Amino acid sequence: MPATINRQRILQRIREIPDPEVPVITISDLGILRDVVFDGNHAEVQITPTYSGCPAMKAIEDEIVTVMREEGVEGVKVKLVYSPAWTTDWLNEDAKERLRAYGIAPPGKTSSDKNLLAVHPKEIKCPRCGSVNTVLVSPFGSTACKSLYKCESCLEPFDYFKCH
Amino acid sequence: MHNNLYTYCLRLGDTSLILGQRLGDWCGHGPVLEEDIAMTNIALDLIGQARAYYSYAAEMEGKGRTEDDIAFLRSERGYFNVLLAEQPNGDFAMTMMRQFLISTYQYYFYLELKGSNDATLAALAEKSVKEVAYHQRHSSEWIKRMGDGTEESNQRIKNALEACWLYTGDLFDADDTDREMVKAGTGVDLQKIKPRWESKVKEVFSEAGLEFPQDVFMVLGSRSGRHSEHLGHLLSEMQVLQRSYPGATW
């Protein structure tokens, strides 16, 4: 264990913690990581939860604590910050491309239409073949954040990261 | 005021927890795989929301209690979920009707709660409303499909409507806590959201070929913890582990 903590290295490592379900994107990419506040040998890491019931948040918290401990931080507190509310708009284009390459159709831009009940999903491109000839199988997919689609062109099913 | 806010959080958490618990019962028993997944996903969202409201309540209380203490160690009279949430699953039509009525209510409620002068409640509401919008859309699609489906599906959804409607008055049954919360700029004015809820319900019912019920006697009481006979059974199952092994953790 290092005698003094290296704040730069810690920040780098925390930023690079991958999403446990989708390891090609990090908690920084997702906008989950909000702030890291150091106070001597103690630190507070502020994260914003994605979906309310997302089980990956616990895994992410545990990973943050592990990294901190490895780096010699004596006391680490992970704080959930709810405001501003997490939105998929925080995912940058590079992260979206990595999602697509991984086989998950990235979220579109959230609608400026305030009536959430009227929002219909736009054209979703198949992440494999690029066809827009896709059909929604279920709005509820393998995880809380994803819907299940099927491509009518290449006939493969795929997950869509829901606009939130 | 502090007590009002605490009670308010319990009401929101309880409705979400109890409804989530009901939906969890469908796990492995859904009519088709996609609906099994849909109902359990909805349950997950709801239980996640309950955790957030309970955690806020525990933090506010400042006695070192946790979300688990609040969720698992009360008896019926100490729960404030809306009566509709504890009604049994019945068949798929009943489950979807119950979901539609509650999710539509939660949608307009949270939309309004976003304007609360309590920053945490406003933030939780902003988060919750996005998720319940999906629940509302999904259940309303089923209402339409079943209402305008076969003779059997139409009969089942009509039966479901009859079993649910008498508990809808309880959704808007404001008490002193509600009124004080509104006055303080923190809570939601139920009389304000009721017409919005009614309008959306009428819209979906009309597409489903269902009558909007009139002059139905309403069963009330959730604000003061007066529940139907169903809650006790639900709680005994939900709490058996915590009560048998107090303080048990994973």
Side-chain angles (χ1 to χ4, degrees), chain B residues 181-202:
Chain B
M181 289 287 283
V182 172
K183 224 165 137 202
T186 311
V188 171
D189 183 352
L190 297 173
Q191 286 318 302
K192 207 169 157 197
I193 62 169
K194 189 172 178 189
R196 296 171 197 166
W197 178 87
E198 281 181 343
S199 168
K200 179 55 77 178
V201 170
K202 278 180 179 154

Side-chain angles (χ1 to χ4, degrees), chain B residues 14 70-80 225 227 231-232 235 239 243:
Chain B
D14 288 348
I70 294 176
F72 292 114
L73 299 178
R74 287 176 282 153
S75 301
E76 296 95 306
R77 282 284 174 132
Y79 280 83
F80 305 111
H227 290 276
L231 186 65
L235 291 179
Q239 298 181 347
R243 287 183 183 269

Side-chain angles (χ1 to χ4, degrees), chain A residues 14 27 33-37 43-47 64 68 76-80:
Chain A
I14 298 289
I27 63 174
L33 179 67
R34 305 310 309 280
D35 205 358
V36 182
V37 181
E44 183 183 91
V45 181
Q46 294 173 6
I47 56 174
I64 289 171
M68 285 291 189
V76 55
K77 181 170 174 243
V78 179
K79 187 171 172 209
L80 289 175

Side-chain angles (χ1 to χ4, degrees), chain A residues 49-50 52 86 116 141 144 163, chain B residues 37 41 107 127 130-131 134 137:
Chain A
T50 54
S52 294
W86 183 77
L116 288 167
C163 235
Chain B
I37 291 172
N41 257 296
Y107 176 74
K127 175 151 221 66
K130 295 196 228 193
E131 292 162 8
Y134 278 101
R137 280 215 300 277

Side-chain angles (χ1 to χ4, degrees), chain B residues 4 20 22-23 57 69-70 88 109 130 132 135 139 145 155 170 198 202 208 218 225 242 247 250:
Chain B
N4 278 345
R22 276 288 186 228
L23 288 168
D69 294 325
I70 294 176
F109 186 97
K130 295 196 228 193
V132 306
H135 311 166
S139 53
R145 219 172 298 170
Q155 190 56 56
D170 179 62
E198 281 181 343
K202 278 180 179 154
M218 292 296 179
Q242 279 291 330
W250 289 105

